[in-house]
Amino acid sequence: MTELDTATQRPDLPAAWTPAEVEAELYQRWVDRRYFEADVKSDKPPFTIVLPPPNVTGSLHMGHAMNHSVMDALSRRRRMQGYEVLWLPGMDHAGIATQNAVERDLAKQGLSRQDLGREKFVERVWEWKEEYGGKILDQMKRLGDGIDWSRERFTMDEGLSRAVQTIFKKMYDDGLIYQAERIINWCPRCQTALSDIEVDHSEDEGELVSIRYGDGDASIVVATTRAETMLGDTAVAVHPDDERYQHLIGTEVELPLTGRRIPIVADAHVDPKFGTGAVKVTPAHDPNDFEIGQRHGLPNLTIMDGRAVITANGPFLGLDRFEARPAIVAALRAEGRIVAEKRPYVHSVGHCSRCNTVVEPRLSLQWWVKVESIAAAASAAVRDGRTKIHPAELNKRYFDWTDNLHDWCISRQLWWGHRIPVYYGPNGEVVCVGPDDEVPAGEGWRQDEDVLDTWFSSGLWPFSTLGWPESTEDLRKFYPTSVLSTGYDILFFWVVRMMMFGLYAMDEVQPFDHVFLHGLIRDQYGKKMSKSKGNGIDPLDWMERYGADATRFTLLRGTNPGSDMAVAEEWAAGSRNFTTKLWNATRFALANGATVARPLPDRSELTAADRWILDELDALVSSVDSNFEAFQFSRACEALYSFTWDEFCDWYLEIAKVQIADGRAEATQSVLGHVLDVLLRLLHPSIPFITETLWTALTGGESLVVAEWPSPSGAERDADAAAEIEGLKKLATEIRRFRSEQGLKPGQKVAGKVRGACCVGLLDQVPSVRSMTRLTEPGEEFTVSATLEVGLPKGAVKVELDLSGAIDVAAERKRLAKDLAVAQKELAQTSGKLGNEAFLAKAPADVKAKIEERKATAESEIARINERLAALPEA
């Protein structure tokens, strides 16, 4: 870092901070100077963050803005601390989302993907990606993300595709990838399996229908919200200890409308307290029923096709599931089989997150990852401390998932994505092909039609982006990564997958040292933001109006490990006011000769105020450091806000004005410059644009991006200086309050005397107190018309004011008389209630206590007003 000599001309700051005119140019300057590019050959310790890859279709929302602010703050601080920082960006191909976007585009032209064919359709998706994809990357630049753009990756670029094929082949050969028929989430519109995270659940109105199977003593009643699936029932299940059904276990009952007879089985999964305690079992159309079917050897009867159309022979053949449902209920009603109907019946229903179609559980032949061994490794890495989760309270949730993980369905019936590298031969051959293997050739060979779940490729992100499976310099330098910052809501869906893949591929080396899990963004009332509710906030709108710094500071100030945060526009406006305060403080310091060019004077040459603010600054450095290390961004920002607004701007700057005017300019200028220098460094990770502008103007340094992170000075805290300034603050605060009570306007000057300051150790602070409280030196005509006594640890200070001519006595008497009438009315009402025996006999204790408190307040207010009236001169 280069510092300017005091004689060097420093640039003048404009009167106001206008972020829209500065931010884009500043960001481009950082990029052009290659500050964010990591040097793999550096001998500095590495600090690595891989950006959770946004969907190629995505745009910046509040959740992104919060997480990016966290990652940028972490990266900027580590860079200033001397680390070789790599924050690696990229995008996810987002299989189903991107395919849907292109299909919608084609539909406008009257085309479908089938019209183009697979090869032409995939070409069209690549074209769409180049034209429309990745706008979120430009939005990240607006936020100030200090990202190494030279290393940008895409989950379907050549290198990452090689990584996907390599790990698939390795896991296949190790027996960790297999094909099997299981129940999956199926979208009838998108015609593909879905991961759990691609299913949105909502409370929908439906119906609960109770149906009697069989007749007489051999009958049994089951309840269902999906009557159409009864066509696929292959059993009825009851709990083995349910006495009501002991005589039926092992018997058969006729399934209505079908003529088929199905067994009644005993299974511990059934809850005897729910409904009738008997459940219909449809193994091909329900995940729990499938498990029951596996335990009891039941057949899997599929009665719907991929578009959720009934395929079972009979009168309902060809009906859509939602057409079949009322038709089947009507047919059952006609046979007298309907025991009860409940409408509306509100229950949780899964919807495809991309098209909102109701998801259908469906038995399907899919590709799966056997997770038992790799999940155990992921669990062990957290248990033994190789990876630390913040907050630690979420360890339990992590272990609940890793210790009870089911095998993972990784195949998707899409055309956009990494195609499964498995080939089928004409004679039943199955060959898995790695990236360097020859693809089987010859007549009758074909590749599997499915592609891999998007989470499969994004699960490799921490090491595939660094060059794996090759042993690259980047991989050796920057793996394992230092921190993963993401929302707790995808702890299972993404974090666990990355842990499993990373430990498996990288010889038990964890992908992250730390996992920071933040909460979700909610509105000011704590409600989840959504377009349908109309309570969403666009961070780009905030940046447009308040600037990127104010947006970032608002989000960071509310970010705590594992906790949701609420945001509101007035908080962004408050952060904008904070940046304005900082701007004005720096302009004042520069106008008054603040400098950081020479060492600070010896502490013996400094005033108590100088020593106090330097001690407070040391405490701030320690606080910010400890909170950053603990991922307590809210506490770090609160400490920065409090010091800047309160200690520095509201107190020290006011004292500094007086010290400079009293001939102590040189020392004060040095302290002013030093405090601002350190403060701007501390603030830079959170609000990079304004701090860069102010710091370079103050110091002439190259850039805060590459400046050194501050450390505490090591000086012993001066308790006497702290006590003196605390005394000043109390005295000034009490005088301000007293002035207000006397009816004086905040900026109105009045003559006043401060007596006894020398006895309490505040003699040196009297000029500052006078300046802060607008007290002028008394003249010959000084007349005491109001007196205040302020008690301090070492004694009392007496303040006398001459209010003659300072206030409109008649108007003040009128105002006080009005306030007195209100207080007297309150006293009368509360006294009346407390004197009413009937009321006292019935009123709860807390109600009586509140009324007594109101009465005491009214009495105190009456005494204060009468005292003030008595002190007023005659009009």
Side-chain angles (χ1 to χ4, degrees):
M1 181 191 70
T2 304
E3 307 283 12
L4 279 183
D5 186 79
T6 50
T8 306
Q9 182 65 41
R10 291 179 293 193
D12 290 331
L13 290 173
W17 168 242
T18 49
E21 298 176 9
V22 178
E23 290 174 348
E25 182 183 340
L26 259 184
Y27 187 84
Q28 192 56 49
R29 186 189 309 161
W30 293 331
V31 172
D32 291 344
R33 293 179 178 179
R34 303 174 68 176
Y35 289 149
F36 304 140
E37 292 184 21
D39 181 3
V40 71
K41 299 186 184 302
S42 165
D43 58 2
K44 296 178 182 177
F47 178 82
T48 316
I49 292 181
V50 289
L51 176 78
N55 287 356
V56 67
T57 59
S59 60
L60 196 72
H61 57 60
M62 270 299 177
H64 288 132
M66 173 178 65
N67 195 31
H68 287 221
S69 297
V70 165
M71 288 184 284
D72 194 45
L74 289 169
S75 299
R76 286 178 183 270
R77 175 170 171 266
R78 284 293 191 233
R79 189 179 290 109
M80 295 173 75
Q81 288 180 315
Y83 286 78
E84 193 60 44
V85 173
L86 170 60
W87 184 12
L88 191 149
M91 291 184 298
D92 194 304
H93 65 279
I96 192 169
T98 308
Q99 179 159 315
N100 280 352
V102 177
E103 286 193 85
R104 285 193 298 270
D105 207 37
L106 285 173
K108 295 174 185 176
Q109 306 167 42
L111 297 172
S112 69
R113 62 177 164 127
Q114 285 77 16
D115 293 329
L116 269 65
R118 183 167 194 148
E119 186 176 339
K120 292 291 185 185
F121 177 77
V122 171
E123 287 179 10
R124 183 68 69 93
V125 180
W126 277 107
E127 291 170 5
W128 184 94
K129 182 256 179 189
E130 293 304 316
E131 185 174 356
Y132 299 107
K135 68 178 181 180
I136 191 172
L137 300 180
D138 290 329
Q139 295 166 347
M140 287 157 51
K141 295 174 183 177
R142 288 193 62 186
L143 191 63
D145 284 4
I147 278 179
D148 186 346
W149 295 107
S150 70
R151 284 178 165 87
E152 183 184 337
R153 303 305 301 267
F154 180 53
T155 49
M156 284 186 63
D157 68 28
E158 185 178 351
L160 268 65
S161 295
R162 180 177 177 82
V164 167
Q165 198 172 351
T166 299
I167 203 162
F168 187 99
K169 167 73 171 169
K170 177 175 168 56
M171 296 181 79
Y172 181 89
D173 290 345
D174 287 349
L176 295 177
I177 286 181
Y178 64 95
Q179 201 175 28
E181 267 198 326
R182 299 274 178 82
I183 292 284
I184 44 88
N185 301 308
W186 181 265
C187 176
R189 196 216 70 84
C190 297
Q191 289 284 285
T192 182
L194 302 174
S195 68
D196 289 340
I197 200 171
E198 292 167 323
V199 178
D200 294 334
H201 288 86
S202 59
E203 295 297 311
D204 293 1
E205 286 189 0
E207 62 179 355
L208 182 68
V209 181
S210 297
I211 309 168
R212 178 170 51 83
Y213 290 7
D215 296 296
D217 291 341
S219 69
I220 193 165
V221 176
V222 299
T224 181
T225 58
R226 301 164 67 217
E228 68 279 8
T229 63
M230 67 155 294
L231 300 176
D233 286 0
T234 56
V236 173
V238 298
H239 194 276
D241 299 331
D242 194 332
E243 293 182 359
R244 294 171 294 178
Y245 302 118
Q246 292 296 310
H247 66 293
L248 293 177
I249 295 172
T251 67
E252 291 186 340
V253 67
E254 184 173 309
L255 181 66
L257 306 182
T258 68
R260 285 192 292 114
R261 295 190 67 78
I262 58 176
I264 297 175
V265 301
D267 196 279
H269 171 76
V270 179
D271 181 359
K273 296 179 181 178
F274 181 77
T276 63
V279 297
K280 58 191 287 300
V281 182
T282 320
H285 293 278
D286 183 275
N288 293 322
D289 292 3
F290 178 78
E291 297 295 333
I292 293 174
Q294 292 292 102
R295 287 193 287 272
H296 296 276
L298 301 175
N300 301 315
L301 188 59
T302 300
I303 52 96
M304 281 184 230
D305 65 13
R307 297 198 176 277
V309 172
I310 301 298
T311 57
N313 288 327
F316 313 107
L317 178 67
L319 292 181
D320 174 82
R321 57 183 166 164
F322 296 128
E323 296 171 335
R325 184 175 297 172
I328 288 172
V329 171
L332 290 167
R333 191 183 298 111
E335 289 191 3
R337 295 287 173 185
I338 300 297
V339 176
E341 297 177 74
K342 185 175 182 181
R343 295 191 188 90
Y345 179 73
V346 179
H347 62 124
S348 180
V349 177
H351 298 256
C352 174
S353 63
R354 302 303 173 188
C355 67
N356 204 40
T357 300
V358 173
V359 168
E360 190 65 37
R362 184 170 187 253
L363 186 65
S364 180
L365 180 65
Q366 301 286 345
W367 287 94
W368 303 81
V369 170
K370 188 181 294 184
V371 300
E372 184 179 6
S373 62
I374 57 177
S379 179
V382 173
R383 282 193 161 97
D384 64 26
R386 279 174 285 161
T387 295
K388 294 179 174 61
I389 292 177
H390 307 267
E393 292 76 31
L394 287 178
N395 281 348
K396 182 181 183 301
R397 187 183 298 184
Y398 177 85
F399 295 139
D400 285 345
W401 282 327
T402 55
D403 297 348
N404 300 285
L405 209 53
H406 295 293
D407 287 359
W408 168 24
C409 176
I410 55 171
S411 45
R412 298 290 180 267
Q413 290 65 55
L414 303 171
W415 286 355
W416 173 244
H418 295 99
R419 196 163 173 182
I420 289 176
V422 171
Y423 291 78
Y424 305 101
N427 300 310
E429 301 96 331
V430 179
V431 176
C432 181
V433 175
D436 298 319
D437 298 337
E438 284 191 24
V439 173
E443 188 177 345
W445 282 92
R446 62 181 179 85
Q447 186 176 358
D448 195 297
E449 294 289 328
D450 289 352
V451 299
L452 288 164
D453 178 9
T454 296
W455 295 98
F456 190 95
S457 52
S458 61
L460 314 182
W461 192 250
F463 54 94
S464 63
T465 52
L466 296 172
W468 189 91
E470 313 307 325
S471 179
T472 63
E473 284 186 300
D474 276 3
L475 192 63
R476 292 193 296 272
K477 172 79 173 179
F478 295 112
Y479 188 91
T481 68
S482 307
V483 178
L484 171 72
S485 175
T486 191
Y488 65 69
D489 55 322
I490 58 171
L491 175 59
F492 164 64
F493 300 106
W494 189 42
V495 179
V496 171
R497 282 160 166 73
M498 287 190 289
M499 289 290 286
M500 292 191 301
F501 276 146
L503 291 158
Y504 172 74
M506 300 299 294
D507 298 323
E508 296 298 311
V509 178
Q510 72 283 359
F512 326 103
D513 295 332
H514 298 272
V515 174
F516 169 65
L517 298 168
H518 56 71
L520 308 179
I521 298 274
R522 299 184 180 275
D523 69 13
Q524 66 192 93
Y525 306 108
K527 294 181 179 178
K528 187 177 180 180
M529 287 188 179
S530 71
K531 291 180 181 177
S532 60
K533 292 179 182 176
N535 64 342
I537 300 173
D538 186 347
L540 298 172
D541 181 44
W542 273 15
M543 285 189 272
E544 205 63 50
R545 282 186 286 162
Y546 306 117
D549 288 326
T551 302
R552 292 167 59 117
F553 198 72
T554 302
L555 296 171
L556 285 169
R557 201 175 171 194
T559 301
N560 289 303
S563 301
D564 290 352
M565 69 169 292
V567 295
E569 184 152 340
E570 55 262 38
W571 301 337
S575 295
R576 188 262 324 272
N577 294 343
F578 174 68
T579 60
T580 300
K581 188 90 167 177
L582 182 65
W583 182 266
N584 292 337
T586 309
R587 287 186 74 237
F588 165 82
L590 286 172
N592 285 276
T595 178
V596 293
R598 54 178 174 269
L600 286 172
D602 188 81
R603 286 177 72 94
S604 62
E605 300 174 29
L606 300 177
T607 67
D610 295 335
R611 299 193 301 276
W612 165 76
I613 197 66
L614 292 174
D615 288 344
E616 292 296 312
L617 185 66
D618 272 350
L620 177 67
V621 173
S622 298
S623 173
V624 170
D625 270 334
S626 61
N627 283 309
F628 258 97
E629 292 298 326
F631 302 96
Q632 294 285 354
F633 301 100
S634 176
R635 293 179 187 174
C637 288
E638 205 57 49
L640 286 162
Y641 181 94
S642 176
F643 176 89
T644 304
W645 195 290
D646 299 331
E647 313 300 355
F648 184 63
C649 293
D650 284 358
W651 293 108
Y652 183 72
L653 285 188
E654 293 299 318
I655 298 171
K657 291 177 187 177
V658 176
Q659 292 186 169
I660 290 172
D662 284 354
R664 289 173 285 183
E666 190 171 330
T668 303
Q669 289 164 342
S670 292
V671 173
L672 263 179
H674 175 78
V675 173
L676 267 175
D677 173 33
V678 172
L679 179 58
L680 292 170
R681 293 173 197 248
L682 293 173
L683 282 164
H684 179 71
S686 306
I687 49 174
F689 292 106
I690 191 171
T691 51
E692 175 83 341
T693 304
L694 295 175
W695 186 82
T696 51
L698 174 72
T699 69
E702 179 187 341
S703 171
L704 260 181
V705 179
V706 292
E708 188 177 341
W709 183 254
S711 301
S713 69
E716 187 176 344
R717 185 173 180 82
D718 190 328
D720 292 337
E724 187 170 330
I725 301 306
E726 284 305 309
L728 174 149
K729 289 161 76 172
K730 182 175 182 182
L731 180 58
T733 300
E734 288 299 311
I735 294 173
R736 286 168 174 166
R737 181 189 60 78
F738 186 63
R739 282 173 52 96
S740 176
E741 289 178 351
Q742 303 306 310
L744 295 172
K745 296 175 182 177
Q748 190 174 0
K749 294 181 178 179
V750 294
K753 291 182 178 179
V754 179
R755 300 185 182 277
C758 60
C759 301
V760 296
L762 288 182
L763 186 61
D764 289 343
Q765 305 305 331
V766 169
S768 295
V769 170
R770 284 186 164 282
S771 174
M772 293 175 187
T773 58
R774 304 295 189 270
L775 298 185
T776 61
E777 288 290 345
E780 293 182 3
E781 304 299 320
F782 181 80
T783 303
V784 177
S785 52
T787 304
L788 167 69
E789 193 168 286
V790 180
L792 296 170
K794 294 183 179 180
V797 175
K798 194 174 194 180
V799 182
E800 298 170 341
L801 304 182
D802 182 355
L803 303 180
S804 54
I807 57 174
D808 183 335
V809 176
E812 183 66 5
R813 282 189 178 277
K814 186 176 180 181
R815 183 185 71 80
L816 289 169
K818 185 177 179 182
D819 291 348
L820 181 62
V822 171
Q824 288 172 332
K825 182 179 180 181
E826 172 74 351
L827 178 61
Q829 288 178 341
T830 52
S831 297
K833 284 188 176 182
L834 292 173
N836 184 331
E837 294 296 334
F839 170 78
L840 292 176
K842 296 179 180 179
D846 61 329
V847 172
K848 287 187 282 188
K850 286 180 181 178
I851 294 174
E852 287 169 352
E853 185 180 338
R854 284 171 51 197
K855 180 186 176 187
T857 301
E859 289 172 339
S860 174
E861 187 67 0
I862 289 168
R864 183 191 69 79
I865 295 171
N866 281 329
E867 183 180 341
R868 172 71 184 123
L869 284 167
L872 283 175
E874 293 299 322

